[in-house]
Amino acid sequence: MAGDTIESTYLQIKEMEVRGAGRIARAAVSALKDYCDKRRFSSASEFYNGLFAAGGRLKSARPTAVSLPNAVNYVLAAARRNQSKGGSAREAVSAVRAVCDDFLASSLRATKTIGEYGAKRIKDGDVVLTHCNSEAVTAVLTTAHAMGKRFEVYATETRPRFQGRITASVLAKKGLDVSLIPDSAARVYMRKVDVVLVGADAIAANGAVINKIGTSQVALAAHESRASFYVAAESYKLSPSTMTGELVEIEHRSPLEVVPRAWLRANAKVKVKNPAFDVTPPEYIDLIITERGLFPPQGVILLMKELYDEPRPA
Ligand code: RI2
């Protein structure tokens, strides 16, 4: 195995100490960069073998957010191209390090651009509802606020891990008007909502969006009350393997995220289910906001084909 940073990053992602599809992608690539920086390699093949093993380990940390394999594959594909050209260990390390830097910078740039594109879709007086915690969504809302737009935000708590509290706290600190509501209150408040804005962990070739559990219920309520439903997501959340019909695996997490251990012991016959994500069908989505432009869900296939000319497994 490739070293401590790889293993500690793997665990941080798995245990959700590092979470959010964009953040886990950057954490994995930062760990690969650290592998380049912190070790001495006697040959290029020693470097590449360790790198490929490290990439495989990182990709296995969480199954749903395609940003993770896409980011790691971006580095590994460049490494493979480089390996085929030959060269010393030093050259190999420096080339892969540059690819890591390139991904990290472009990921941050993408979030900023999404913020700018998305902010144009928020109008003065709007009521916006968001679910979970997404950097891309935060970028849109804080950019709109910085442009002087005045609007109200509802953030759902997002059981079982309450990432909605992070969203509410971050937005309030930036001066936005934000209310935290229980997930079960989403339909009650939907009557007032103009725009629902969520992030994505993966986007399928048919435009379906895989995001935090509860998103599809929010989308249904938005559809019923004719609120716009927007998704803010970097293009590395498009899942290339769905072009050939593969499904995105939905992560099921520990029951202990839902109920305490004592309750579980006292109710041993109760099965506790904890799917971490759900699928919102394209019919309930108006727009997907990426750093490469705005797409109706049915249009993401064009972007996917442009980015992944031939289907690759995620
Ligand atoms: P950004 C998160 O997953 C949420 O589902 C969020 O909507 C999505 O990643 C995208 O987040 P988790 O890691 O990349 O909390 O926009 O399970 O930050």
Side-chain angles (χ1 to χ4, degrees), residues 123-141:
K123 298 189 293 297
D124 257 329
D126 269 355
V127 176
V128 181
L129 184 142
T130 188
H131 183 62
C132 200
N133 176 250
S134 152
E135 278 185 322
V137 168
T138 303
V140 171
L141 298 178

Side-chain angles (χ1 to χ4, degrees), residues 19-22 62 133-136 163 200-201 211-212 237 277:
R19 53 144 299 281
R62 288 187 77 189
N133 176 250
S134 152
E135 278 185 322
Q163 293 98 322
D201 291 83
N211 192 49
K212 184 54 56 190
K237 291 170 185 167
F277 302 99

Side-chain angles (χ1 to χ4, degrees), residues 41 43-44 47 64 86 106 117 122 172 181-182 201 223 240 254:
F41 303 97
S43 67
F47 166 71
T64 303
S106 71
Y117 288 168
I122 308 288
I181 60 168
D201 291 83
H223 187 72
S254 166

Side-chain angles (χ1 to χ4, degrees), residues 210-239:
I210 295 88
N211 192 49
K212 184 54 56 190
I213 190 74
T215 302
S216 66
Q217 285 179 188
V218 171
L220 258 176
H223 187 72
E224 178 193 47
S225 96
R226 297 174 197 277
S228 299
F229 190 94
Y230 299 157
V231 176
E234 301 88 322
S235 58
Y236 56 77
K237 291 170 185 167
L238 302 177
S239 170

Side-chain angles (χ1 to χ4, degrees), residues 14 58 80 90 135 150 200 227 236 278 301:
K14 192 177 171 60
L58 290 165
R80 267 187 215 103
R90 231 168 102 180
E135 278 185 322
R150 293 291 162 257
Y236 56 77
D278 65 21
I301 184 71

